Amino acid sequence: MQFMLLFSRQGKLRLQKWYVPLSDKERKKISRDLVQTILARKPKMCSFLEWRDLKIVYKRYASLYFCCAVEDQDNELITLEIIHRYVELLDKYFGSVCELDIIFNFEKAYFILDEFLLGGEAQETSKKNVLKAIEQADLLQEVSQTPKIFT
Amino acid sequence: MSDVVEKTLTALPSLLSLDSQPGSAKLSSTSKLGNLIRGITELTSKHEEEKLIQRELASIKEQVSSPNTSMRQMKELMVRAIYCESLGYEASFSYIHAIKLAQQGTVLEKRVGYLAVSLFLNESHELLLLLVNTVLKDLQSTNLIEVCMALTVVSQMFPKDMIPAILPLVEEKLNHPKEIIRRKAVLALYKFYLIAPNQVQHIHNKFRKALCDKDPGVMTASLHIYLQMIQENPEGYKDLTASFVTILKQVVGGKLPMDFNYHSVPAPWLQIQLLRILSLLGKNDQSTSEIMYEVLDESLRRAEMNHNITYAILYECVKCIYTIHPKSDLLEKAAKCIGNFVLSPKINLKYLGLKALTYVVQQDPKLALQHQMTIIECLDHPDLIIKRETLELLFRITNAQNVTVIVEKMLEFLHSNTDDYTTIDLVGKVAELAEKYAPGNEWFIETMNTVFSVGGDMMQPDIPNSFLKLLSEGFDTVEEDRKLRLFAVDSYVSLLQGEPGKLPQRFLQVISWVLGEYSHLREELEPATVMRLLAKLLDMKQTSSETKSWVLLAMTKLVRAGQVFQSAQEVSETYGSSMDTVLRQRAQELQHLSQDCELRARVLPQDAGLEPLEVDSSLSFLDGFVSEALAAGAAPYKPPHQRQEELAQAKALSLEPYGLSLPISMSSCSIADRQSPTLLSMSSGLSGDSTDLSHKGSSTTLKLDGVKRVWGREGYLAQREAVEEAAQVEVPSPLRSPSQQAEADSSHSQTPTPTPTPEPDQEKQQLASSLFFGLSSQSSVCLMGKSEPTPQRFRRKAKGQASSSGAAEQISNSLVSAPSAVDNFLCNNLLDSNITSQVGISSSEQTSELSQGPATTNGTCDTEAESTDGDIKGSNPSLIIGDNGLVAADPTPHKDPGSPKDFCLSSHLPAELSELCRSEITPLCSNQSLGLSACHVHKEDSLVLVVFITNSSDAAIRQILLDLDSEQLQVSCVSDSPVEDVTSHSVAMHQFSLTVKRPSVHVEVVGMVSYQLPVGTPQEVQFSYKLPLTSFIRPLTVSTEEYGTMWLSFSHDTKQNLTLISDGEEPLTATLNVLKEKLQLHIVEIIGMEGIIACQLLRDQPCLMHCRVHADVLAVWLRSPVPDLPDCLIYHCQRALQEH
């Protein structure tokens, strides 16, 4: 996978993860172009796009668009399921996730993504294991924030 | 403040309910970030937002740089900085603090620090170097979470050069007791493999261990690496096929823990990865494919549930089944699957169905026929993506019967399309189809007109090039060619009479060229009319100066009619003083040639398109001039980088600040002063004394007159013969000395004259064989328009296809005259002195350099060679599919070397070759009548590829034509008159000499043999032959001093650590000896812990190697003037040491 973007119906970028080295300018141009192209598409249309030499796979969940760029020979359907699994993970972690969860806790959304995809490849597809890893780290947070309870 | 909070909360009731949910993270509703976000959502204008963020950033900046800020506060600040950046505002001041946070924070703060780093910086950012130490420390931490974070950031982005620093620690993690660490370590290595494959070469066996890991997650991760490696070299991993099949069987059979299920499908990601690997392994390999038939069948059977994820697996399965060696019942099932996809009401599946159809249609055209109604429906689908994919499918099944309809559909799409990328792609495809299957002249020209107008200036430049080439070289009978040209002229005249302002520049260039060249064919068309139309183009303000020079050239050709002299003079006066040098030159040409018709007839002969032009790329005709210049005291030629280096060395001492920019003789004098003794010795014996330096220094202009302009900004001037004469006639120099005149004249007599090519017979054969191929018994599927060279109406003549070098050097006279000409007429006044001095003093050294790379030095040659390559590929797409008897042969097969066949063939080797070291004789391909085998023989100064053609039938095989081509190699036929006929049960042999054009770790020759049996139609068989680069490496015997000079002048280098061999002997010597033995290197000298080695790649492409022992590794530094050569050589060194 080359990159993943999350953006709202209004075209506001909520999350972006780049797995290929690109300059800031290129990133901005790509995301602007893509957001525009995808928002212009109608709901019943195909979830796949050929864009430059990449394949774009996107899906809308409520007010958020999830969009991944993969290489031409990659499997589009499994990419769609990667998006879906990520949404499931967010949902489980936040408990019925909504856009605001991601806006206010975007760093958590990044942590979950990093635990799920590493360097652009799915590293752990088990929901339980991903969340376990995140919760372990979160637990440390509790400990460090409220050390008195334990003393 | 509090009412802001309240407002937001009431507006967003879902937020409140979240807090009570278990496991949910608390929303930081009171945090500063929360305030910031809320503040922004309330704003109405972009301007207000900008003000707010700038304020925010200012406050963050102040706080991060304050020494009193705790790491915990820093973490919070960093999150806010990330937020601001994600809105598109720059917060670069915080980058360094992000690194600090990752370095100094506790685990949690570190996590945010690493996240910020990975979001802020990219791989090439310099600050990343500061992170290396932190990563090193965390990799060694006992805290699992810290190790995880370090591994995550490493596989996210890490500077290539710093990989060696952390590699051992990451490798170590492969043995970590925790599977999560092992998994991340494997993925980190995968990432390293992608960005620097050389670095992880030595841990290949550790990958095997990861593949056998007891944790399925680690095993899955290792498959990413395997997929990549198998993609690059499928031959190397065939032995793993059975293991992959077993794994897939277990997965499909549900043997994995439930954790790996996704919507009750067992480990779909793993399944898909395995299927992709299997398809790579089974491609073109029957025995390997047979191992996997069963599990593929099982996968198809199991994937029955109606869910996206099962479709994903099915799709991959189908692709695999169609890629590997075919099996009929699997194909049948796969075809049914594709049918289900295509007919599905779900649009995503329909799209994939079309995509799969596109993929398989070359093998199974019937499948497309079955679904033709669906395909027609998809053509009018409202979703452009579906339409586009349908066109792609149609493109693959185009043939002479359906071409008009399909091209019409494609053009229709093009007119409504707005995306540049698609336009470029589609325009290329239309042009390809038009050239291949055009039903008539009119249609062809009109279609190309649309292509040029729609494709505009974005399209690939080879489209207009090949179109012009086709027009000029012709394709059919003389009469047909004439009709086509006439039609083009008519069509363009009417276009110019319309609104030429709307036409793209490229199209205008094509039009001008055609009108210049062929408007005389239309007799009733007055040259004055054409002239007027062209002049109109010059007056339009949107016409680019490049187009204008095309127009001027066309006018130059038109003046041969004579009547348009007046307007030509006017135009040349207008542009004779243009600021654009090319344009100015064209105007000068126009002026001079319009006055002298005899000269014009020689420079721009009518209908010269068919005459191939021989190019003496070694510039041998200049030898005399060069020696004279050297004798007269000119400095020998030195390549630019050498001059620069010398200049750099001399800088400290130089008292002449303008040394290099002085006119030629002065600079030659100053350079000579700075030369090291070794350099003088390199500069051939021709450099005589320079007694009359002072005299020469004052008369640079005199010198210039003798200089023939053969090398210009745009490359080598192919047309120099004619132009030179023009230059001499038009610009006679009173200053030229008699001896120079004589020298110039003698160089003319040396210039090779165009000779007719000895190929017409072969050409006809080739044409015939491709014309009748469709009727041969082999091709039962004649719908496969693209996969066989069906009769092409506008098939370009196969000129120069016999050898790629020939194609590169033959340039159609008239084509060159158009775009790449240079300012011959301007050499007296406009030349920049640097260029002149280079040409003037070019020694034989430069000449040899030129002869090495004619393709790269001449722009026009280059494109031509490329388009020829394209031709070959285009007409044999089965190279890609790998069917039709295409067999990839490995030069080092694991066969018994003493096999009887090898022995029997080797007896056919000529005596002078049989003594030499050679590879085994490898079978390439065979059928009932004929078999092909090959081996390569290492000669001292060349590599000879010997191809044996064995006639195993009872009849003689005639008209054998063997055609080889390679992307990386230069192939030339050794024998003067290749054997064409082989009698029954005998063997014929062809020899080819190979040299490397472009180094690559493995090089490959693809070839095609066409032949004729006594009965039946001509046949063709394709094959490929792979050989390692090492076959081309020879020792280079140089002295240490020579080595020193060479080392400085080479510009491409690579550094790498190698393992030392220590079996008894002194390690450095032992290692170098192994390299010497296995790779044929020459050890120049070993001094203490250092060694220098030299070798050359055939022919004359040196590579130097410097080795130094560091602790227990060998630090190697390679340098060469050839790009990629050091990298390839280091790869083979590693291999050689590994195998030892």
Side-chain angles (χ1 to χ4, degrees):
Chain A
M1 187 183 294
Q2 305 239 336
F3 56 84
M4 187 179 209
L5 302 175
L6 260 71
F7 54 90
S8 70
R9 226 169 28 177
Q10 290 77 36
K12 281 236 188 311
L13 218 51
R14 296 298 182 208
L15 212 72
Q16 47 177 330
K17 191 85 190 172
W18 302 83
Y19 297 108
V20 284
L22 287 170
S23 74
D24 218 37
K25 215 170 124 200
E26 283 169 304
R27 290 182 181 184
K28 279 193 180 135
K29 187 179 174 342
I30 291 175
S31 32
R32 203 173 44 236
D33 280 9
L34 269 182
V35 168
Q36 244 172 28
T37 317
I38 292 176
L39 286 179
R41 290 178 63 80
K42 298 195 183 71
K44 288 273 177 222
M45 283 184 168
C46 189
S47 301
F48 316 130
L49 269 183
E50 272 158 53
W51 186 79
R52 299 203 195 162
D53 52 346
L54 291 179
K55 182 82 52 167
I56 306 294
V57 177
Y58 73 93
K59 189 157 185 191
R60 183 176 153 185
Y61 287 87
S63 58
L64 264 188
Y65 284 87
F66 290 69
C67 154
C68 292
V70 293
E71 277 107 78
D72 194 48
Q73 71 273 14
D74 283 336
N75 190 314
E76 291 90 344
L77 282 175
I78 201 85
T79 313
L80 215 48
E81 294 312 300
I82 284 186
I83 293 177
H84 189 70
R85 172 59 27 127
Y86 182 48
V87 174
E88 283 180 349
L89 285 168
L90 291 172
D91 202 55
K92 186 98 186 268
Y93 182 79
F94 289 108
S96 146
V97 69
C98 70
E99 190 185 342
L100 283 164
D101 291 320
I102 295 172
I103 300 175
F104 282 97
N105 296 293
F106 62 87
E107 81 275 20
K108 300 266 166 46
Y110 276 119
F111 293 144
I112 297 174
L113 186 60
D114 279 347
E115 207 53 51
F116 174 45
L117 299 177
L118 190 58
E121 305 286 348
Q123 61 154 328
E124 176 58 270
T125 50
S126 146
K127 221 176 349 187
K128 205 178 79 193
N129 289 349
V130 173
L131 293 177
K132 208 168 79 191
I134 296 290
E135 270 154 19
Q136 268 172 0
D138 281 352
L139 208 63
L140 276 167
Q141 186 157 17
E142 302 290 329
V143 174
S144 57
Q145 273 173 357
T146 54
K148 278 173 197 149
I149 297 174
F150 293 92
T151 50
Chain B
M1 187 78 235
S2 65
D3 70 354
V4 174
V5 177
E6 208 179 300
K7 219 177 350 182
T8 321
L9 289 181
T10 43
L12 313 160
S14 63
L15 288 183
L16 289 167
S17 63
L18 273 176
D19 276 357
S20 58
Q21 288 204 6
S24 78
K26 283 183 213 87
L27 278 178
S28 39
S29 48
T30 53
S31 73
K32 287 180 184 157
L33 174 73
N35 288 338
L36 172 65
I37 295 170
R38 266 187 298 275
I40 285 170
T41 41
E42 278 166 15
L43 295 176
T44 46
S45 77
K46 187 81 189 160
H47 180 65
E48 281 176 311
E49 180 189 297
E50 196 174 329
K51 255 173 42 190
L52 182 74
I53 298 279
Q54 291 307 350
R55 220 168 39 232
E56 182 74 20
L57 282 175
S59 115
I60 296 176
K61 191 172 185 175
E62 192 189 324
Q63 289 181 61
V64 287
S65 39
S66 143
N68 299 326
T69 312
S70 72
M71 277 296 147
R72 197 150 142 217
Q73 286 165 313
M74 193 69 105
K75 174 185 144 209
E76 200 276 323
L77 287 167
M78 206 46 71
V79 173
R80 273 194 281 160
I82 298 178
Y83 185 77
C84 293
E85 274 251 331
S86 76
L87 287 178
Y89 298 89
E90 204 205 275
S92 52
F93 64 86
S94 58
Y95 297 173
I96 185 75
H97 296 284
I99 290 181
K100 230 160 83 185
L101 189 62
Q103 215 160 53
Q104 297 165 1
T106 61
V107 176
L108 284 159
E109 291 141 17
K110 221 180 227 313
R111 186 159 75 148
V112 173
Y114 273 132
L115 175 68
V117 169
S118 71
L119 291 173
F120 287 156
L121 309 180
N122 68 25
E123 254 157 65
S124 48
H125 202 287
E126 50 190 1
L127 279 180
L128 220 48
L129 290 178
L130 296 176
L131 197 70
V132 174
N133 249 331
T134 317
V135 169
L136 271 176
K137 206 181 78 197
D138 286 339
L139 280 176
Q140 286 162 308
S141 162
T142 48
N143 186 334
L144 276 189
I145 291 170
E146 282 182 342
V147 181
C148 279
M149 285 190 298
L151 285 172
T152 305
V153 82
V154 155
S155 38
Q156 175 84 238
M157 30 107 75
F158 202 72
K160 193 177 166 185
D161 318 334
M162 297 313 292
I163 290 176
I166 56 159
L167 192 58
L169 283 173
V170 177
E171 266 178 69
E172 205 175 88
K173 295 288 174 285
L174 290 175
N175 299 322
H176 200 277
K178 274 286 187 198
E179 62 273 2
I180 184 170
I181 304 281
R182 293 204 299 275
R183 195 179 65 213
K184 283 181 199 266
V186 169
L187 281 169
L189 290 175
Y190 165 64
K191 193 75 187 184
F192 294 167
Y193 182 80
L194 288 183
I195 54 179
N198 285 339
Q199 314 262 22
V200 288
Q201 196 119 65
H202 60 288
I203 30 182
H204 279 194
N205 48 354
K206 294 201 176 153
F207 294 153
R208 288 211 179 208
K209 219 180 128 207
L211 184 64
C212 307
D213 199 285
K214 61 181 185 295
D215 179 67
V218 182
M219 184 265 292
T220 311
S222 75
L223 291 182
H224 293 300
I225 303 180
Y226 275 102
L227 180 65
Q228 198 65 34
M229 295 193 297
I230 291 171
Q231 228 157 27
E232 282 154 23
N233 175 23
E235 298 303 319
Y237 300 90
K238 297 272 181 185
D239 58 322
L240 286 176
T241 314
S243 318
F244 291 130
V245 167
T246 320
I247 298 172
L248 185 54
K249 248 182 215 157
Q250 289 178 355
V251 175
V252 175
K255 299 273 165 31
L256 286 188
M258 288 294 278
D259 272 354
F260 288 90
N261 283 10
Y262 176 84
H263 294 264
S264 60
V265 174
W269 279 273
L270 177 53
Q271 286 196 44
I272 283 173
Q273 200 76 356
L274 283 167
L275 286 168
R276 289 180 68 184
I277 289 178
L278 288 182
S279 67
L280 289 172
L281 287 170
K283 194 173 179 180
N284 299 328
D285 184 341
Q286 185 172 359
S287 57
T288 310
S289 298
E290 273 162 6
I291 310 175
M292 45 187 96
Y293 289 147
E294 194 194 324
V295 74
L296 288 176
D297 196 39
E298 171 110 11
S299 294
L300 279 182
R301 210 154 36 78
R302 293 260 185 174
E304 274 170 340
M305 204 180 52
N306 183 14
H307 188 280
N308 256 347
I309 197 74
T310 46
Y311 292 127
I313 297 173
L314 276 180
Y315 178 68
E316 210 62 48
C317 250
V318 166
K319 256 170 85 175
C320 180
I321 288 169
Y322 271 98
T323 312
I324 62 172
H325 189 88
K327 181 165 195 254
S328 58
D329 66 320
L330 276 181
L331 286 179
E332 221 167 87
K333 284 178 190 168
K336 217 174 112 209
C337 258
I338 295 179
N340 289 340
F341 273 82
V342 175
L343 298 172
S344 165
K346 288 184 185 165
I347 189 159
N348 288 345
L349 295 187
K350 200 183 263 306
Y351 170 82
L352 285 181
L354 287 171
K355 214 180 129 183
L357 261 187
T358 313
Y359 186 75
V360 306
V361 80
Q362 274 145 327
Q363 292 175 59
D364 195 357
K366 273 183 276 158
L367 209 52
L369 288 179
Q370 266 173 34
H371 298 294
Q372 49 183 318
M373 283 327 287
T374 323
I375 295 172
I376 305 269
E377 272 166 34
C378 289
L379 259 185
D380 294 319
H381 203 279
D383 192 343
L384 285 182
I385 299 297
I386 300 280
K387 245 182 169 168
R388 174 84 182 74
E389 194 58 44
T390 316
L391 288 177
E392 188 73 39
L393 171 62
L394 290 178
F395 169 70
R396 306 274 175 119
I397 56 167
T398 308
N399 57 35
Q401 280 79 48
N402 58 17
V403 64
T404 35
V405 195
I406 290 177
V407 166
E408 191 190 311
K409 288 283 174 195
M410 288 168 105
L411 292 177
E412 220 169 76
F413 184 89
L414 270 174
H415 282 301
S416 63
N417 177 60
T418 50
D419 171 37
D420 291 354
Y421 206 86
T422 315
T423 304
I424 294 171
D425 181 54
L426 221 50
V427 155
K429 284 179 171 150
V430 172
E432 187 186 330
L433 292 181
E435 223 172 78
K436 253 188 179 167
Y437 304 113
N441 291 335
E442 201 169 323
W443 184 89
F444 178 64
I445 295 293
E446 266 164 15
T447 306
M448 288 311 283
N449 283 355
T450 325
V451 164
F452 290 136
S453 342
V454 177
D457 298 322
M458 294 180 293
M459 69 183 157
Q460 302 289 344
D462 61 332
I463 299 177
N465 284 353
S466 67
F467 173 74
L468 292 184
K469 199 169 166 229
L470 197 137
L471 273 187
S472 66
E473 287 181 357
F475 59 95
D476 202 354
T477 58
V478 177
E479 184 49 26
E480 274 300 305
D481 287 348
R482 207 181 72 87
K483 273 189 195 157
L484 178 69
R485 289 168 191 160
L486 255 181
F487 195 85
V489 169
D490 289 349
S491 161
Y492 295 160
V493 167
S494 64
L495 272 176
L496 288 189
Q497 280 163 343
E499 280 187 85
K502 284 186 179 160
L503 302 176
Q505 299 298 315
R506 284 263 183 77
F507 193 15
L508 290 178
Q509 292 164 9
V510 168
I511 292 178
S512 337
W513 188 87
V514 170
L515 289 183
E517 200 76 13
Y518 298 117
S519 63
H520 64 90
L521 293 176
R522 173 65 71 209
E523 274 150 24
E524 56 273 30
L525 186 66
E526 292 281 329
T529 321
V530 183
M531 205 66 177
R532 211 171 42 247
L533 288 173
L534 289 175
K536 209 163 83 186
L537 294 183
L538 287 178
D539 294 338
M540 292 190 314
K541 62 175 183 299
Q542 65 266 48
T543 310
S544 72
S545 58
E546 192 192 348
T547 309
K548 282 181 183 164
S549 32
W550 284 73
V551 172
L552 285 180
L553 193 84
M555 289 178 157
T556 318
K557 290 173 189 163
L558 281 171
V559 289
R560 57 189 156 211
Q563 303 129 301
V564 287
F565 183 71
Q566 195 51 44
S567 45
Q569 285 298 317
E570 276 166 29
V571 168
S572 63
E573 262 166 47
T574 320
Y575 289 95
S577 54
S578 164
M579 291 300 283
D580 187 308
T581 48
V582 180
L583 207 54
R584 193 161 170 173
Q585 184 211 334
R586 293 270 166 253
Q588 296 281 349
E589 282 173 5
L590 175 58
Q591 192 183 9
H592 289 295
L593 292 181
S594 61
Q595 283 162 354
D596 185 339
C597 53
E598 194 190 321
L599 175 65
R600 187 176 60 240
R602 263 191 299 164
V603 179
L604 298 167
Q606 239 173 35
D607 286 329
L610 288 170
E611 304 273 316
L613 186 78
E614 292 266 333
V615 176
D616 176 14
S617 56
S618 68
L619 304 183
S620 57
F621 59 91
L622 275 177
D623 286 350
F625 174 75
V626 169
S627 54
E628 188 181 313
L630 286 171
Y637 174 75
K638 278 178 220 155
H641 59 264
Q642 192 182 337
R643 265 174 297 167
Q644 248 160 25
E645 225 157 66
E646 278 170 33
L647 191 68
Q649 284 167 7
K651 240 176 196 158
L653 296 169
S654 171
L655 298 171
E656 291 170 294
Y658 306 113
L660 261 187
S661 57
L662 281 177
I664 161 173
S665 326
M666 285 300 280
S667 70
S668 77
C669 152
S670 58
I671 288 177
D673 286 343
R674 292 177 198 146
Q675 266 171 6
S676 68
T678 40
L679 282 172
L680 268 180
S681 68
M682 280 163 68
S683 63
S684 81
L686 292 167
S687 56
D689 62 337
S690 43
T691 41
D692 54 352
L693 252 184
S694 57
H695 167 68
K696 290 283 176 192
S698 62
S699 61
T700 34
T701 46
L702 180 128
K703 204 167 178 129
L704 282 182
D705 284 321
V707 178
K708 285 169 287 293
R709 199 66 213 298
V710 287
W711 195 257
R713 286 243 178 256
E714 279 140 289
Y716 178 62
L717 297 184
Q719 222 203 347
R720 80 204 165 269
E721 187 193 13
V723 179
E724 249 166 43
E725 293 205 10
Q728 281 166 13
V729 178
E730 291 305 311
V731 202
S733 163
L735 291 173
R736 181 159 35 199
S737 65
S739 69
Q740 274 169 325
Q741 179 72 59
E743 145 65 17
D745 288 343
S746 73
S747 81
H748 281 294
S749 56
Q750 282 168 24
T751 315
T753 44
T755 49
T757 38
E759 287 166 6
D761 270 343
Q762 294 184 355
E763 226 173 274
K764 273 183 199 144
Q765 280 169 19
Q766 227 169 357
L767 199 64
S769 76
S770 40
L771 273 172
F772 297 110
F773 191 82
L775 305 171
S776 86
S777 54
Q778 280 189 338
S779 56
S780 52
V781 273
C782 39
L783 248 173
M784 296 157 60
K786 240 199 111 196
S787 66
E788 64 191 51
T790 44
Q792 287 176 18
R793 184 177 170 80
F794 290 100
R795 189 184 146 85
R796 253 180 258 135
K797 295 205 173 159
K799 183 181 290 179
Q801 275 196 0
S803 76
S804 57
S805 60
E809 283 178 9
Q810 289 170 356
I811 298 158
S812 103
N813 193 355
S814 54
L815 248 193
V816 180
S817 69
S820 78
V822 187
D823 20 346
N824 306 292
F825 290 99
L826 307 176
C827 59
N828 268 5
N829 45 1
L830 278 177
L831 276 182
D832 112 30
S833 63
N834 269 337
I835 294 181
T836 326
S837 59
Q838 275 178 36
V839 178
I841 57 179
S842 63
S843 68
S844 55
E845 215 171 278
Q846 184 200 20
T847 323
S848 72
E849 202 171 274
L850 289 174
S851 65
Q852 268 177 31
T856 51
T857 47
N858 186 330
T860 324
C861 279
D862 207 19
T863 49
E864 197 121 335
E866 262 166 39
S867 73
T868 318
D869 282 348
D871 273 353
I872 292 166
K873 272 183 207 137
S875 55
N876 307 326
S878 48
L879 283 183
I880 305 154
I881 310 167
D883 205 2
N884 298 0
L886 176 77
V887 188
D890 192 330
T892 51
H894 323 284
K895 265 198 199 133
D896 182 12
S899 69
K901 188 151 190 190
D902 184 291
F903 173 74
C904 128
L905 282 174
S906 63
S907 63
H908 289 275
L909 271 176
E912 77 267 18
L913 293 182
S914 58
E915 303 285 303
L916 296 166
C917 167
R918 65 170 168 89
S919 72
E920 278 170 46
I921 296 175
T922 320
L924 296 174
C925 60
S926 63
N927 57 24
Q928 61 273 38
S929 48
L930 159 146
L932 245 61
S933 317
C935 69
H936 52 274
V937 184
H938 296 237
K939 279 171 96 167
E940 200 173 309
D941 57 344
S942 63
L943 190 78
V944 179
L945 176 70
V946 185
V947 181
F948 300 95
I949 304 175
T950 316
N951 182 354
S952 47
S953 70
D954 293 326
I957 297 179
R958 305 206 176 279
Q959 299 179 359
I960 295 175
L961 193 62
L962 194 58
D963 194 0
L964 294 188
D965 187 42
S966 169
E967 277 180 33
Q968 306 97 356
L969 299 175
Q970 183 104 5
V971 186
S972 48
C973 191
V974 173
S975 14
D976 305 326
S977 51
V979 187
E980 289 191 350
D981 303 340
V982 183
T983 52
S984 166
H985 296 288
S986 67
V987 177
M989 190 197 64
H990 285 237
Q991 287 184 40
F992 296 89
S993 152
L994 306 179
T995 47
V996 180
K997 271 194 294 195
R998 196 158 50 79
S1000 158
V1001 171
H1002 288 282
V1003 291
E1004 192 176 26
V1005 181
V1006 292
M1008 185 173 75
V1009 59
S1010 59
Y1011 59 95
Q1012 169 88 55
L1013 289 171
V1015 272
T1017 49
Q1019 313 263 323
E1020 282 180 349
V1021 185
Q1022 286 160 348
F1023 57 88
S1024 74
Y1025 186 75
K1026 237 189 196 176
L1027 55 169
L1029 193 74
T1030 41
S1031 321
F1032 295 92
I1033 293 172
R1034 299 285 179 274
L1036 177 67
T1037 328
V1038 289
S1039 69
T1040 310
E1041 289 74 37
E1042 285 166 327
Y1043 183 98
T1045 354
M1046 286 163 85
W1047 180 265
L1048 286 177
S1049 62
F1050 294 167
S1051 47
H1052 298 277
D1053 67 344
T1054 230
K1055 292 181 193 177
Q1056 179 85 47
N1057 288 347
L1058 297 178
T1059 40
L1060 276 169
I1061 289 174
S1062 49
D1063 37 1
E1065 258 182 291
E1066 201 269 311
L1068 179 63
T1069 324
T1071 314
L1072 295 192
N1073 279 336
V1074 169
L1075 291 179
K1076 177 188 171 184
E1077 204 174 295
K1078 293 209 169 171
L1079 300 175
Q1080 303 237 333
L1081 311 176
H1082 170 69
I1083 302 180
V1084 181
E1085 200 173 359
I1086 299 180
I1087 316 164
M1089 298 312 258
E1090 285 177 66
I1092 50 177
I1093 299 179
C1095 67
Q1096 57 174 330
L1097 190 65
L1098 285 174
R1099 215 169 262 153
D1100 302 326
Q1101 306 189 44
C1103 186
L1104 305 179
M1105 194 163 152
H1106 175 262
C1107 314
R1108 183 202 291 269
V1109 179
H1110 259 306
D1112 52 349
V1113 292
L1114 188 66
V1116 184
W1117 188 2
L1118 281 97
R1119 273 197 177 193
S1120 167
V1122 188
D1124 299 334
L1125 181 55
D1127 284 318
C1128 298
L1129 198 63
I1130 195 81
Y1131 170 85
H1132 285 292
C1133 288
Q1134 275 171 341
R1135 285 287 296 269
L1137 292 177
Q1138 232 165 46
E1139 282 163 14
H1140 178 74

